[in-house]
């Protein structure tokens, strides 16, 4: 055997339609500007230029139609800016651009399909510059959707 062993492709656990993966805020990566001044790493001041605010966690998932739901909170200043939520896998992504328009907690949903094993992740980015406001990422869930052609 060659030194270093076999280099096997990643394996994904098996899932049944309706199975849900809960991804808490601690599993994600964040824009770390002024992170040392934050009470929680997932609650941040958005003043500055456009940028990725949160992304991850990269996870290998099997082929199928998947639904990702993110939960985001905006204060009265951050809700005025434009954001983008992306669900990525298989070198493609589904994106939803939005401006919350009011303060509060919102859930955004995106569905994405791929035909073979792929690394998936979610991403939230601010797509315009901001003079201020607080944004909080409250986690995500990813669910394998039922097959509409072959329901179980």
């Amino acid at each position: 055997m060659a030194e270093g062993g076999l280099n096997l492709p990643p394996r994904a656990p098996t899932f049944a339609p309706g199975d849900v993966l809960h991804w808490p805020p601690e599993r994600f990566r964040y824009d770390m500007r002024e992170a040392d001044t934050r009470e929680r790493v997932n609650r941040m001041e958005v003043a500055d230029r456009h940028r990725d605010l949160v992304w991850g966690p990269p996870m290998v998932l099997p082929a199928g139609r998947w639904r990702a739901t993110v939960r985001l909170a905006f204060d009265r200043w951050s809700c005025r800016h434009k954001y983008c939520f992306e669900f990525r896998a298989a070198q493609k992504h589904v994106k939803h651009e939005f401006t919350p328009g009011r303060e509060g907690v919102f859930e955004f949903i995106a569905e994405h399909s791929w035909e073979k094993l792929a690394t998936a992740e979610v991403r939230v980015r601010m797509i315009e510059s901001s003079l201020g406001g607080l944004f909080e990422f409250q986690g995500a869930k990813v669910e394998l959707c039922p097959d509409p052609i072959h329901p179980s």
Side-chain angles (χ1 to χ4, degrees), residues 111-124:
E111 289 189 5
H112 189 16
S113 297
W114 49 93
E115 297 177 4
K116 60 183 181 179
L117 197 65
T119 301
E121 73 170 9
V122 298
R123 184 175 297 258
V124 178

Side-chain angles (χ1 to χ4, degrees), residues 29-100:
R29 298 194 58 174
Y30 296 91
D31 175 55
M32 296 305 285
R33 292 163 216 249
E34 302 178 7
D36 55 336
T37 64
R38 298 182 198 163
E39 183 180 315
R40 294 184 309 273
V41 72
N42 60 309
R43 183 175 169 83
M44 67 191 74
E45 172 64 50
V46 295
D48 209 344
R49 62 182 178 79
H50 61 92
R51 64 193 183 275
D52 290 343
L53 299 175
V54 57
W55 60 96
M59 184 167 184
V60 176
L61 297 174
R65 182 155 192 83
W66 291 83
R67 178 181 301 121
T69 304
V70 293
R71 190 171 169 88
L72 312 172
F74 302 89
D75 74 358
R76 68 187 186 124
W77 299 106
S78 65
C79 72
R80 301 172 187 199
H81 303 293
K82 197 170 190 177
Y83 300 84
C84 180
F85 161 49
E86 296 179 359
F87 183 28
R88 303 167 158 237
Q91 300 176 353
K92 297 180 183 175
H93 64 275
V94 174
K95 72 179 186 177
H96 172 65
E97 292 183 3
F98 62 94
T99 302

